[in-house]
Amino acid sequence: MMHLGLIHYVYLGVIIAIITIMCFKKDVVLPCIIGLFLIGFIYSGNNVLRAIQIIYRAIVTSGREFLEIVIIIALVNAMSKALTSLGADVIMIKPIRKFMVNGKRAFFILGFTMLVFSWFIWPSPAVAFIGSLMVPAAIKSGLPAIWAAVAIDIFGNGMALSSDYFIQGAPAITAKTANIQDSFQIVKASFPLWIVMSSVTIISSAIIMGMDLKKVKSISKNEIEDIYSNSNFGSKVVAIGTPLFFMADVIIMYIFRLKGADATALIGGTAIIIMCVSSIINYKFKNALGKVTLYIKDGFMFSMKVFAPIIIIGAFFFLGSKESAQEILGPNTNGFLTDIGIYISQNIKMSKISVILIHAAISAMLGIGGSGFSGLPLIGTLSQVFSSNVNISNASLSALGQIITIWIGGGTIIPWSVVPIAAICNVEPFEIVKKNVIPVTLGIIAVIFTAIIIL
């Protein structure tokens, strides 16, 4: 029979405090560090020196787990900067612009273009050049600026980031803390839930947009400066070659059954080769020596800005699972959330429905903090705990939490998460959120019901 001690209650109390702080839209890195010290202090028998060492050991363990994800995102971001400098990104977008003949079609073309680019280079860098290159064309076709912003937001920060099928940053984080060895299991389990969430949200948005467009009597048709004026042979070659290389990667993944780390390695290697080739074409070999270094530095700075807080947050939540807790504290622990889960299963009758509802509610609360990724370590850890006590798939439960957390916190209904998109489209962040609330809420309700049925 499992019995909980002071350390378990402190750990649970810190988690509750973290979730509460997230609800008040505050960062949780400091509470996680304090939590690490408290746990280390209690576990070591009130030894301050060992408690301090445990803080560092936990961060190193977390950093080691996330290192591969940090590197792949750094390389992809470096590639994106090289493509932008060469002007290849402009050429890649140009053909799509011709199909924007009206507002409704522009909404979906803008959205799906954002989805594809976000899958390969992540939404943050994709917003910059997709927004600046395509939004003027979309507005000119009759799509109001606010709905252009909604399209970029829902398809990028919602659909692309919550799935992350190619870079697999989100599935990798979730899988690590859920003790799932292959992140492709999360990808596979998430697909039906992602389809439901995305479809309901997009259809709802399209219906609301249609109602809004009927009310709009006139839309500005001001001439927009042509931004596609300059291009050269090298930029055209790279613009054609980049999507072809990534399409080849997808085919190779399918043929050779590449998953998880192997698939990530292929994408990362392709990204760095494209970055190097683009730099050589743009600056010639001699000058490219310095430019490649600059792109790599910028890429890693971007990646570390994104993941630095996640590494600290993950360090605390890794104490919840057995394997990582033993690496941090030593072999005489099972992981605190594991112990709590066993205790709950022994004393409280839990069912599949109650687990799904509780997990969905926690995921939503984590998303309210405004950073979908910072909640993933807890999502994965809780999924492992719940699935070990109820007959439900760990991967599927993790996928459900990942989708809900990122859709909310990744930047669809949290105002400060949509600021870059609002700036690109020249609209107010709160206006984007107002348009997103109903569709995203309907999507979350639909995905919870779907999870209850299929999990």
Side-chain angles (χ1 to χ4, degrees):
M1 190 72 176
M2 175 62 65
H3 297 282
L4 301 182
L6 173 63
I7 197 167
H8 295 93
Y9 290 112
V10 170
Y11 187 76
L12 189 59
V14 174
I15 290 177
I16 294 172
I18 289 171
I19 294 174
T20 303
I21 292 169
M22 281 183 169
C23 291
F24 283 97
K25 307 177 180 64
K26 302 295 183 181
D27 291 332
V28 295
V29 170
L30 178 58
C32 286
I33 295 173
I34 294 173
L36 284 170
F37 177 80
L38 292 175
I39 295 299
F41 184 72
I42 297 171
Y43 186 83
S44 61
N46 303 336
N47 188 319
V48 175
L49 180 62
R50 282 213 51 204
I52 294 172
Q53 292 174 321
I54 285 171
I55 294 175
Y56 175 77
R57 193 176 296 124
I59 294 172
V60 170
T61 299
S62 179
R64 190 183 300 122
E65 293 293 334
F66 291 137
L67 179 61
E68 183 179 352
I69 311 169
V70 171
I71 291 174
I72 181 62
I73 291 172
L75 297 180
V76 169
N77 184 263
M79 178 198 69
S80 175
K81 291 180 181 298
L83 291 176
T84 300
S85 297
L86 182 60
D89 56 342
V90 176
I91 300 171
M92 291 164 67
I93 294 295
K94 187 175 181 179
I96 303 172
R97 185 188 185 195
K98 298 177 182 178
F99 295 98
M100 295 184 179
V101 296
N102 58 54
K104 290 182 179 179
R105 183 175 293 186
F107 176 85
F108 287 102
I109 291 175
L110 182 63
F112 280 108
T113 304
M114 181 67 185
L115 172 65
V116 173
F117 274 78
S118 297
W119 267 337
F120 288 106
I121 65 173
W122 258 33
S124 298
V127 165
F129 68 83
I130 292 292
S132 60
L133 301 179
M134 293 187 67
V135 166
I139 294 174
K140 188 174 182 180
S141 71
L143 182 67
I146 183 62
W147 284 107
V150 169
I152 292 175
D153 191 32
I154 287 179
F155 283 85
N157 291 345
M159 288 182 67
L161 198 58
S162 67
S163 55
D164 200 6
Y165 288 142
F166 294 96
I167 297 176
Q168 295 188 15
I173 293 173
T174 308
K176 290 288 186 184
T177 49
N179 196 28
I180 297 173
Q181 300 302 316
D182 185 1
S183 61
F184 185 75
Q185 293 182 41
I186 302 290
V187 172
K188 184 178 179 180
S190 72
F191 187 72
L193 300 173
W194 176 78
I195 285 289
V196 171
M197 177 75 204
S198 302
S199 299
V200 171
T201 304
I202 292 170
I203 292 171
S204 302
S205 294
I207 292 172
I208 297 172
M209 180 187 67
M211 296 169 61
D212 276 4
L213 289 179
K214 290 179 181 179
K215 300 175 184 177
V216 178
K217 295 181 179 180
S218 63
I219 297 176
S220 176
K221 299 287 184 177
N222 295 334
E223 290 299 319
I224 299 171
E225 181 182 356
D226 188 1
I227 54 179
Y228 303 102
S229 56
N230 296 321
S231 63
N232 54 51
F233 178 76
S235 60
K236 290 178 181 177
V237 170
V238 174
I240 296 171
T242 297
L244 290 179
F245 272 114
F246 280 116
M247 287 173 63
D249 282 352
V250 174
I251 295 171
I252 291 170
M253 289 178 199
Y254 177 78
I255 293 175
F256 294 99
R257 307 288 183 183
L258 299 182
K259 304 174 182 178
D262 290 333
T264 302
L266 183 61
I267 294 292
T270 301
I272 198 168
I273 289 172
I274 292 173
M275 184 267 294
C276 291
V277 172
S278 299
S279 301
I280 293 171
I281 291 175
N282 196 15
Y283 300 105
K284 308 306 178 187
F285 186 81
K286 182 179 179 180
N287 293 328
L289 295 173
K291 288 295 182 180
V292 167
T293 302
L294 181 62
Y295 290 140
I296 291 292
K297 286 181 178 179
D298 288 346
F300 272 91
M301 287 176 64
F302 169 81
S303 186
M304 284 308 301
K305 283 181 181 179
V306 173
F307 278 94
I310 294 174
I311 290 172
I312 305 297
I313 295 167
F316 176 77
F317 287 110
F318 274 130
L319 292 173
S321 60
K322 180 178 179 179
E323 289 76 13
S324 52
Q326 289 181 343
E327 187 173 351
I328 296 168
L329 299 175
N332 298 322
T333 179
N334 289 323
F336 302 119
L337 278 177
T338 302
D339 290 344
I340 293 169
I342 295 172
Y343 178 83
I344 291 173
S345 66
Q346 291 175 345
N347 293 273
I348 300 174
K349 187 175 181 179
M350 299 187 72
S351 65
K352 181 183 76 171
I353 294 177
S354 65
V355 164
I356 290 174
L357 293 176
I358 292 170
H359 198 61
I362 293 174
S363 301
M365 286 189 291
L366 291 173
I368 290 172
S371 178
F373 271 51
S374 65
L376 294 183
L378 177 55
I379 292 300
T381 305
L382 288 176
S383 298
Q384 181 186 5
V385 172
F386 287 141
S387 63
S388 65
N389 294 287
V390 178
N391 185 24
I392 192 169
S393 166
N394 184 9
S396 297
L397 197 60
S398 298
L400 174 66
Q402 173 183 297
I403 289 170
I404 294 175
T405 302
I406 291 181
W407 265 95
I408 294 176
T412 60
I413 61 175
I414 304 299
W416 59 92
S417 298
V418 302
V419 170
I421 296 173
I424 287 288
C425 298
N426 195 25
V427 297
E428 291 295 325
F430 281 94
E431 292 302 314
I432 301 176
V433 171
K434 288 178 183 178
K435 298 295 185 185
N436 287 343
V437 166
I438 294 177
V440 172
T441 301
L442 291 175
I444 291 173
I445 293 172
V447 80
I448 291 173
F449 275 107
T450 304
I452 291 174
I453 294 171
I454 69 173
L455 298 191

